[in-house]
Amino acid sequence: MGRGVRALLYVGSSHWRERGAMPGRCQQSPVLAGSATLVALGALSLYFPEPAGYGKYTETLTPSAVRLPAGAAWFLQELPSFAVPAGILAWQPWSLFGLPGTVLLVLFCAHYFHRTFVYPLLNRGRPFPLAIIFKGFVFCMGNGVLQGYYLIYCAEYPDEWYTDIRFSLGVFLFILGMGINIHSDYILRQLRKPGETIYKIPQGGLFTYVSGANFFGEIVEWIGYALATWSLPALAFAFFSLCFLGMRAFHHHRFYLKMFEDYPKSRKVLIPFIF
């Protein structure tokens, strides 16, 4: 195993083991396999010529599929990403400023608490095909297990990790990205009145500069998470998010250009002023 992988799998000292914070022995093989799977899925998403068949692409790509309402679909799909890590956390000793792995997993749960219990209640999107929901459920289950297992049973951090620049900058980026993501979703919801199905050009916030402002925010979140955890599973998830959501942003940008003749020509796909 290369030194780079070992550095990501074994961060810091043996401080956690000495404090008895690892109730089970870390198995490296499933961590590596899960991380490699995320990277492979991210790379594969770059080669699909058509977007995933949900949202604005549902009718054109999966016209005859059995569907669930968008709110219920998002709840069922995202639930494992919250429930699995939250279940792992529930078995851990807890304090206000606990072990870094525990605190970092709380950040992961915070994102998916919003995606599971808040976002579905506000969502006005189109119904989801059952096949898409099932795929999302399986992915969220696997990723929830991987991130939770690694941070609780494998990750090791020194006492001074809370003051490390990687932790501080990573948490800042995570919170910033989550704020951008939630604000961008709010802008998208305001485009339609209840019952409307027409498409409008998003305006305001980062939509002034990019078509995929909500996707940009979530990508920034997971890059921050990868930096704060300094872990291979989080890095793999950030890579997957960049690939999958980046392609989603590209397809949205192409859709808007075809749909609206007056769509702002200076607006980029995902990264302001760059791409």
Side-chain angles (χ1 to χ4, degrees):
M1 186 185 300
R3 292 182 178 178
V5 173
R6 287 184 179 180
L8 286 169
L9 286 174
Y10 297 101
V11 181
S13 68
S14 61
H15 180 67
W16 276 32
R17 288 193 179 96
E18 292 171 359
R19 292 177 60 184
M22 297 178 62
R25 181 184 177 187
C26 173
Q27 298 293 326
Q28 298 179 29
S29 296
V31 172
L32 292 172
S35 300
T37 299
L38 285 175
V39 171
L41 290 174
L44 281 174
S45 69
L46 299 177
Y47 290 93
F48 292 129
E50 300 295 338
Y54 65 92
K56 57 175 57 69
Y57 312 107
T58 300
E59 298 299 332
T60 57
L61 298 179
T62 53
S64 60
V66 179
R67 296 173 172 80
L68 286 181
W74 277 109
F75 172 79
L76 292 173
Q77 175 180 285
E78 306 291 308
L79 180 60
S81 283
F82 171 78
V84 172
I88 294 174
L89 282 172
W91 288 94
Q92 309 309 311
W94 179 249
S95 62
L96 182 60
F97 295 102
L99 297 170
T102 304
V103 173
L104 290 164
L105 191 56
V106 168
L107 291 180
F108 185 87
C109 289
H111 170 89
Y112 281 105
F113 178 87
H114 176 266
R115 298 298 288 185
T116 302
F117 299 104
V118 179
Y119 181 75
L121 295 176
L122 304 173
N123 190 279
R124 300 176 182 174
R126 297 174 181 272
F128 268 48
L130 284 178
I132 298 293
I133 299 171
F134 178 75
K135 291 177 183 178
F137 181 91
V138 172
F139 176 86
C140 288
M141 176 68 76
N143 191 47
V145 170
L146 175 64
Q147 305 300 331
Y149 175 81
Y150 176 83
L151 285 176
I152 298 303
Y153 296 104
C154 298
E156 301 175 22
Y157 298 97
D159 288 335
E160 62 273 15
W161 189 249
Y162 285 129
T163 59
D164 192 287
I165 184 62
R166 290 166 291 183
F167 177 85
S168 302
L169 181 58
V171 171
F172 170 77
L173 290 175
F174 182 89
I175 295 173
L176 175 65
M178 190 170 182
I180 293 172
N181 180 248
I182 292 174
H183 180 251
S184 300
D185 284 339
Y186 171 80
I187 291 174
L188 291 174
R189 285 196 303 274
Q190 300 310 304
L191 291 177
R192 292 177 180 171
K193 297 178 181 179
E196 283 188 335
T197 59
I198 61 173
Y199 289 103
K200 301 177 182 178
I201 299 175
Q203 303 287 355
L206 274 185
F207 283 112
T208 305
Y209 308 102
V210 295
S211 298
N214 51 333
F215 304 127
F216 174 79
E218 188 163 352
I219 290 169
V220 169
E221 265 190 271
W222 298 125
I223 290 175
Y225 180 74
L227 185 60
T229 62
W230 204 246
S231 70
L232 184 61
L235 178 62
F237 184 40
F239 175 78
F240 169 83
S241 299
L242 175 63
C243 295
F244 182 81
L245 297 178
M247 285 301 297
R248 194 76 178 168
F250 169 77
H251 290 303
H252 275 32
H253 186 74
R254 186 175 62 178
F255 174 88
Y256 287 134
L257 288 173
K258 291 180 179 180
M259 176 68 68
F260 303 104
E261 293 183 359
D262 58 340
Y263 194 73
K265 303 302 180 184
S266 61
R267 190 175 295 188
K268 300 298 183 180
V269 176
L270 184 66
I271 305 174
F273 311 112
I274 299 175
F275 170 74

